Amino acid sequence: MTSHQNTQTMKPATAAKKLGVYLEATPAEFREGVVTRAELNALQTDPPAWLRELRRDGPHPRPVVAARLGVSIAGLHRGGVTEPLTTEQIDALRQERPQWLEREQAVQADVRKEAARVKKLHAERAERAARD
């Protein structure tokens, strides 16, 4: 009895998400096929020119835009940003500092502080429990 190993594949949308790029900006051959795990690993290890350019210049998907602006995806939506943005547009927003962006960055900073406080509290409790 021989064992056959199936090649793991994924949809282009899944691969684009894992690569951190906007699917609609990828080349047609990428969007129209399937991507194997080996191909994804190769793209991550040695990205082709189109992937390097997309990562550098965009357009970027919402998670990347949110991370670069230091806000949540929901904060982007509250700020009226619903479309992918290029690096140039992200930089322009950083320089303009609209009121919604400053507010959402402050909210995100508060969320991070609270998460750090809770993590520290859990660590302290675990340390006390380990001693007892």
Side-chain angles (χ1 to χ4, degrees):
M1 184 167 171
T2 60
S3 130
H4 295 287
Q5 184 176 2
N6 292 337
T7 303
Q8 187 179 12
T9 61
M10 63 192 83
K11 294 177 182 178
T14 303
K17 187 174 184 178
K18 290 179 180 287
L19 293 169
V21 295
Y22 182 57
L23 177 62
E24 300 304 316
T26 61
E29 60 268 8
F30 180 84
R31 288 191 311 269
E32 294 166 0
V34 294
V35 181
T36 66
R37 175 64 63 186
E39 290 170 337
L40 178 68
N41 289 340
L43 288 169
Q44 289 172 326
T45 305
D46 187 23
W50 65 264
L51 182 54
R52 287 191 308 272
E53 183 179 316
L54 270 180
R55 286 177 169 168
R56 183 183 60 241
D57 301 329
H60 303 288
R62 284 179 305 200
V64 174
V65 174
R68 288 187 179 197
L69 290 174
V71 300
S72 66
I73 294 173
L76 283 179
H77 187 71
R78 286 189 293 269
V81 177
T82 57
E83 298 296 319
L85 298 179
T86 63
T87 300
E88 187 177 310
Q89 292 169 314
I90 293 169
D91 291 343
L93 276 173
R94 280 190 195 138
Q95 292 203 352
E96 291 169 14
R97 308 272 322 142
Q99 189 175 7
W100 72 264
L101 180 59
E102 290 189 14
R103 183 178 60 249
E104 292 299 334
Q105 286 175 333
V107 166
Q108 194 69 11
D110 289 344
V111 167
R112 286 187 187 114
K113 283 179 195 170
E114 180 63 11
R117 184 191 71 78
V118 169
K119 183 177 179 180
K120 181 180 176 186
L121 180 66
H122 285 290
E124 290 169 354
R125 285 183 182 165
E127 186 178 309
R128 268 184 273 155
R131 281 186 276 155
D132 293 340

Coordinates of all heavy atoms in Angstrom, one line a residue, residues 15-70:
A15 N -4.1 33.3 0.1 CA -2.7 33.6 -0.1 C -2.3 35.1 -0.1 O -1.4 35.5 0.6 CB -2.2 33.0 -1.5
A16 N -3.2 35.9 -0.7 CA -3.0 37.4 -0.6 C -3.0 37.9 0.8 O -2.2 38.7 1.2 CB -4.0 38.1 -1.5
K17 N -4.0 37.3 1.6 CA -4.1 37.7 3.0 C -2.8 37.4 3.7 O -2.3 38.1 4.5 CB -5.3 37.1 3.6 CG -5.6 37.5 5.0 CD -7.0 36.9 5.4 CE -7.3 37.5 6.8 NZ -8.6 36.9 7.3
K18 N -2.3 36.1 3.5 CA -1.1 35.7 4.2 C 0.1 36.5 3.8 O 1.0 36.7 4.5 CB -0.9 34.2 3.9 CG -1.9 33.3 4.6 CD -1.6 31.8 4.3 CE -2.6 30.9 5.0 NZ -2.4 30.8 6.4
L19 N 0.1 37.0 2.5 CA 1.2 37.8 2.0 C 1.1 39.3 2.4 O 2.0 40.0 2.2 CB 1.3 37.7 0.5 CG 1.7 36.3 0.0 CD1 1.5 36.2 -1.5 CD2 3.1 36.0 0.4
G20 N -0.1 39.7 2.9 CA -0.3 41.1 3.3 C -0.5 42.0 2.1 O -0.1 43.1 2.2
V21 N -1.1 41.5 1.0 CA -1.3 42.3 -0.2 C -2.8 42.4 -0.5 O -3.5 41.5 -0.2 CB -0.5 41.9 -1.4 CG1 1.0 42.1 -1.1 CG2 -0.8 40.5 -1.8
Y22 N -3.2 43.4 -1.3 CA -4.5 43.5 -1.8 C -4.7 42.7 -3.0 O -4.0 42.8 -4.0 CB -4.8 45.0 -2.1 CG -6.2 45.3 -2.6 CD1 -7.3 45.0 -1.8 CD2 -6.4 46.0 -3.8 CE1 -8.5 45.4 -2.2 CE2 -7.6 46.3 -4.2 CZ -8.7 46.0 -3.4 OH -10.0 46.3 -3.9
L23 N -5.6 41.7 -2.9 CA -5.8 40.7 -4.0 C -6.0 41.4 -5.4 O -5.5 40.9 -6.3 CB -7.0 39.8 -3.6 CG -7.3 38.7 -4.7 CD1 -6.2 37.8 -4.9 CD2 -8.6 38.0 -4.3
E24 N -6.9 42.4 -5.4 CA -7.2 43.0 -6.7 C -6.0 43.6 -7.4 O -6.0 43.9 -8.6 CB -8.3 44.0 -6.6 CG -9.6 43.4 -6.0 CD -10.1 42.2 -6.8 OE1 -10.2 42.3 -8.1 OE2 -10.5 41.2 -6.2
A25 N -5.0 43.9 -6.7 CA -3.8 44.5 -7.2 C -2.7 43.5 -7.7 O -1.7 43.8 -8.3 CB -3.1 45.5 -6.2
T26 N -3.0 42.2 -7.4 CA -2.0 41.2 -7.8 C -2.2 40.9 -9.3 O -3.2 41.1 -9.9 CB -2.2 39.9 -7.0 OG1 -3.6 39.4 -7.2 CG2 -2.0 40.1 -5.5
P27 N -1.2 40.2 -9.9 CA -1.3 39.9 -11.3 C -2.4 38.9 -11.6 O -2.7 38.1 -10.7 CB 0.1 39.2 -11.6 CG 1.0 39.6 -10.5 CD 0.1 39.9 -9.3
A28 N -2.9 38.9 -12.8 CA -4.1 38.0 -13.1 C -3.7 36.6 -12.9 O -4.6 35.8 -12.4 CB -4.5 38.3 -14.6
E29 N -2.5 36.1 -13.2 CA -2.2 34.7 -13.1 C -2.2 34.3 -11.6 O -2.5 33.1 -11.3 CB -0.8 34.4 -13.7 CG 0.4 35.1 -13.2 CD 0.7 36.4 -14.0 OE1 -0.1 36.8 -14.8 OE2 1.7 37.0 -13.7
F30 N -2.0 35.2 -10.7 CA -2.0 34.9 -9.3 C -3.5 34.8 -8.9 O -3.9 33.9 -8.2 CB -1.3 36.0 -8.5 CG -1.4 35.8 -7.0 CD1 -0.4 35.0 -6.4 CD2 -2.4 36.4 -6.2 CE1 -0.5 34.7 -5.0 CE2 -2.4 36.2 -4.8 CZ -1.5 35.3 -4.2
R31 N -4.3 35.7 -9.3 CA -5.8 35.8 -8.9 C -6.6 34.6 -9.5 O -7.6 34.2 -8.9 CB -6.4 37.1 -9.4 CG -6.0 38.3 -8.6 CD -6.8 39.5 -8.9 NE -7.1 39.8 -10.3 CZ -6.3 40.5 -11.1 NH1 -5.2 41.1 -10.5 NH2 -6.5 40.7 -12.4
E32 N -6.2 34.1 -10.7 CA -7.0 33.1 -11.4 C -6.6 31.7 -11.1 O -7.4 30.8 -11.5 CB -6.9 33.4 -12.9 CG -7.5 34.7 -13.3 CD -7.1 35.1 -14.7 OE1 -6.3 34.4 -15.4 OE2 -7.5 36.2 -15.1
G33 N -5.6 31.4 -10.4 CA -5.2 30.0 -10.1 C -5.4 29.7 -8.6 O -6.1 30.3 -7.9
V34 N -4.7 28.6 -8.2 CA -4.6 28.3 -6.8 C -3.2 28.3 -6.4 O -2.3 28.3 -7.3 CB -5.2 26.8 -6.5 CG1 -6.7 26.8 -6.8 CG2 -4.5 25.8 -7.3
V35 N -2.9 28.5 -5.1 CA -1.6 28.6 -4.6 C -1.3 27.5 -3.7 O -2.0 27.2 -2.8 CB -1.4 30.0 -3.9 CG1 0.0 30.1 -3.4 CG2 -1.8 31.1 -4.8
T36 N -0.2 26.8 -4.0 CA 0.2 25.7 -3.1 C 1.0 26.2 -1.9 O 1.5 27.4 -2.0 CB 1.1 24.6 -3.8 OG1 2.3 25.3 -4.2 CG2 0.4 24.1 -5.1
R37 N 1.1 25.4 -0.9 CA 1.9 25.9 0.3 C 3.3 26.1 -0.1 O 3.9 27.1 0.4 CB 1.8 24.7 1.4 CG 2.6 25.0 2.6 CD 2.2 26.2 3.4 NE 0.9 26.1 3.9 CZ 0.3 27.1 4.6 NH1 0.9 28.2 4.8 NH2 -0.9 26.9 5.0
A38 N 3.9 25.3 -1.0 CA 5.2 25.5 -1.4 C 5.4 26.8 -2.2 O 6.4 27.5 -2.0 CB 5.7 24.3 -2.3
E39 N 4.4 27.1 -3.0 CA 4.5 28.4 -3.8 C 4.4 29.6 -2.8 O 5.1 30.6 -3.0 CB 3.3 28.4 -4.8 CG 3.5 27.5 -6.0 CD 2.3 27.4 -6.9 OE1 1.1 27.7 -6.4 OE2 2.4 27.0 -8.0
L40 N 3.5 29.5 -1.8 CA 3.4 30.5 -0.8 C 4.7 30.7 -0.1 O 5.2 31.9 0.1 CB 2.2 30.3 0.1 CG 2.1 31.3 1.2 CD1 1.6 32.6 0.7 CD2 1.1 30.8 2.3
N41 N 5.3 29.6 0.3 CA 6.6 29.7 1.0 C 7.6 30.4 0.1 O 8.4 31.2 0.6 CB 7.0 28.3 1.5 CG 6.2 27.8 2.6 OD1 5.5 28.6 3.3 ND2 6.2 26.5 2.8
A42 N 7.6 30.0 -1.2 CA 8.6 30.6 -2.1 C 8.3 32.1 -2.3 O 9.3 32.9 -2.3 CB 8.5 29.9 -3.4
L43 N 7.1 32.5 -2.3 CA 6.7 33.9 -2.4 C 7.2 34.7 -1.2 O 7.7 35.8 -1.3 CB 5.2 34.1 -2.7 CG 4.7 33.7 -4.0 CD1 3.2 33.7 -4.0 CD2 5.2 34.6 -5.1
Q44 N 7.1 34.1 0.0 CA 7.5 34.7 1.2 C 9.0 34.8 1.3 O 9.5 35.8 1.8 CB 6.9 34.0 2.4 CG 5.4 34.2 2.5 CD 4.8 33.3 3.6 OE1 5.2 32.2 3.8 NE2 3.7 33.8 4.2
T45 N 9.7 33.7 0.9 CA 11.1 33.7 1.0 C 11.8 34.5 0.0 O 12.8 35.3 0.4 CB 11.6 32.2 0.9 OG1 10.9 31.4 1.8 CG2 13.1 32.1 1.1
D46 N 11.4 34.5 -1.2 CA 12.0 35.2 -2.3 C 10.9 35.9 -3.1 O 10.6 35.4 -4.2 CB 12.9 34.3 -3.2 CG 13.7 35.0 -4.2 OD1 14.0 36.2 -4.0 OD2 14.1 34.4 -5.2
P47 N 10.4 37.0 -2.6 CA 9.3 37.7 -3.3 C 9.7 38.2 -4.7 O 10.7 38.8 -4.8 CB 8.8 38.8 -2.4 CG 9.9 39.0 -1.4 CD 10.8 37.7 -1.4
P48 N 8.8 38.0 -5.7 CA 9.1 38.5 -7.0 C 8.9 40.0 -7.0 O 8.4 40.6 -6.0 CB 8.0 37.8 -7.9 CG 7.0 37.4 -7.0 CD 7.6 37.2 -5.7
A49 N 9.3 40.7 -8.1 CA 9.2 42.1 -8.2 C 7.8 42.7 -7.9 O 7.6 43.6 -7.2 CB 9.7 42.6 -9.5
W50 N 6.8 42.0 -8.5 CA 5.4 42.5 -8.3 C 5.0 42.5 -6.8 O 4.3 43.4 -6.4 CB 4.4 41.8 -9.2 CG 4.2 40.3 -8.8 CD1 4.8 39.2 -9.4 CD2 3.3 39.8 -7.8 NE1 4.4 38.1 -8.8 CE2 3.5 38.4 -7.9 CE3 2.5 40.3 -6.9 CZ2 2.7 37.5 -7.0 CZ3 1.7 39.5 -6.1 CH2 1.9 38.1 -6.1
L51 N 5.4 41.5 -6.1 CA 5.1 41.4 -4.7 C 5.9 42.4 -3.9 O 5.3 43.1 -3.0 CB 5.3 40.0 -4.2 CG 5.0 39.7 -2.7 CD1 3.5 40.1 -2.4 CD2 5.3 38.2 -2.4
R52 N 7.1 42.6 -4.2 CA 7.9 43.6 -3.4 C 7.3 45.0 -3.7 O 7.2 45.8 -2.8 CB 9.4 43.6 -3.9 CG 10.1 42.4 -3.4 CD 11.6 42.5 -3.6 NE 12.0 42.8 -4.9 CZ 12.3 41.9 -5.9 NH1 12.1 40.6 -5.6 NH2 12.6 42.2 -7.1
E53 N 6.9 45.3 -4.9 CA 6.3 46.6 -5.3 C 5.0 46.8 -4.6 O 4.8 47.9 -4.0 CB 6.1 46.7 -6.8 CG 5.6 48.0 -7.3 CD 5.5 48.0 -8.8 OE1 6.4 47.6 -9.5 OE2 4.4 48.5 -9.2
L54 N 4.2 45.8 -4.5 CA 2.9 45.9 -3.8 C 3.1 46.1 -2.4 O 2.4 47.0 -1.8 CB 2.0 44.6 -4.0 CG 1.1 44.5 -5.2 CD1 0.4 43.2 -5.2 CD2 0.1 45.7 -5.2
R55 N 4.0 45.4 -1.8 CA 4.2 45.6 -0.3 C 4.8 47.0 0.0 O 4.5 47.6 1.0 CB 5.2 44.6 0.2 CG 4.6 43.2 0.3 CD 5.6 42.2 0.8 NE 5.0 40.9 1.2 CZ 5.6 39.8 1.4 NH1 7.0 39.8 1.3 NH2 5.0 38.7 1.7
R56 N 5.6 47.5 -1.0 CA 6.2 48.8 -0.8 C 5.2 50.0 -1.1 O 5.1 50.9 -0.3 CB 7.4 49.0 -1.7 CG 8.2 50.3 -1.5 CD 9.4 50.4 -2.4 NE 8.9 50.3 -3.8 CZ 9.3 49.4 -4.7 NH1 10.2 48.5 -4.3 NH2 8.9 49.4 -5.9
D57 N 4.5 49.9 -2.2 CA 3.7 51.0 -2.7 C 2.2 50.9 -2.6 O 1.5 51.8 -2.6 CB 4.1 51.3 -4.2 CG 5.5 51.6 -4.4 OD1 6.2 52.2 -3.5 OD2 6.0 51.3 -5.5
G58 N 1.8 49.6 -2.4 CA 0.3 49.4 -2.3 C -0.3 49.3 -3.7 O 0.4 49.2 -4.7
P59 N -1.6 49.3 -3.8 CA -2.6 49.6 -2.7 C -2.5 48.5 -1.6 O -2.3 47.3 -1.9 CB -3.9 49.6 -3.4 CG -3.8 48.8 -4.6 CD -2.3 49.0 -5.0
H60 N -2.8 48.9 -0.4 CA -2.7 48.0 0.8 C -4.1 47.6 1.3 O -5.0 48.4 1.3 CB -1.9 48.6 1.9 CG -0.5 49.1 1.5 ND1 0.5 48.2 1.3 CD2 0.0 50.3 1.3 CE1 1.6 48.9 0.9 NE2 1.3 50.2 0.9
P61 N -4.2 46.3 1.7 CA -5.5 46.0 2.3 C -5.7 46.6 3.7 O -4.8 47.1 4.3 CB -5.4 44.4 2.5 CG -3.9 44.2 2.5 CD -3.3 45.3 1.7
R62 N -7.0 46.6 4.1 CA -7.3 47.3 5.4 C -6.4 46.9 6.6 O -6.0 47.8 7.3 CB -8.8 47.0 5.8 CG -9.7 47.8 4.9 CD -11.1 47.5 5.3 NE -11.3 46.1 5.2 CZ -12.5 45.5 5.1 NH1 -13.6 46.2 5.2 NH2 -12.5 44.2 5.0
P63 N -6.1 45.7 6.8 CA -5.3 45.4 8.0 C -3.9 46.1 7.9 O -3.4 46.5 8.9 CB -5.1 43.8 8.0 CG -6.3 43.4 7.2 CD -6.6 44.4 6.2
V64 N -3.3 46.1 6.7 CA -2.0 46.8 6.6 C -2.2 48.3 6.8 O -1.3 48.9 7.4 CB -1.4 46.5 5.2 CG1 -0.1 47.2 4.9 CG2 -1.2 45.0 5.1
V65 N -3.2 48.9 6.2 CA -3.5 50.3 6.3 C -3.6 50.7 7.8 O -3.0 51.6 8.3 CB -4.7 50.8 5.5 CG1 -5.0 52.2 5.8 CG2 -4.4 50.6 4.0
A66 N -4.5 49.9 8.5 CA -4.7 50.1 9.9 C -3.4 50.0 10.7 O -3.1 50.9 11.6 CB -5.7 49.1 10.5
A67 N -2.6 49.0 10.5 CA -1.3 48.9 11.2 C -0.4 50.0 10.9 O 0.2 50.5 11.8 CB -0.7 47.5 10.8
R68 N -0.3 50.4 9.7 CA 0.6 51.6 9.4 C 0.2 52.9 10.0 O 1.0 53.7 10.2 CB 0.7 51.7 7.8 CG 1.6 50.6 7.2 CD 1.8 50.8 5.8 NE 2.7 49.7 5.2 CZ 3.3 49.8 4.1 NH1 3.3 50.9 3.4 NH2 4.0 48.8 3.7
L69 N -1.2 53.0 10.2 CA -1.7 54.3 10.8 C -1.8 54.2 12.3 O -2.0 55.1 13.0 CB -3.0 54.6 10.2 CG -3.0 55.1 8.7 CD1 -4.5 55.3 8.2 CD2 -2.2 56.4 8.6
G70 N -1.6 52.9 12.8 CA -1.7 52.8 14.3 C -3.1 52.8 14.8 O -3.3 53.3 15.9

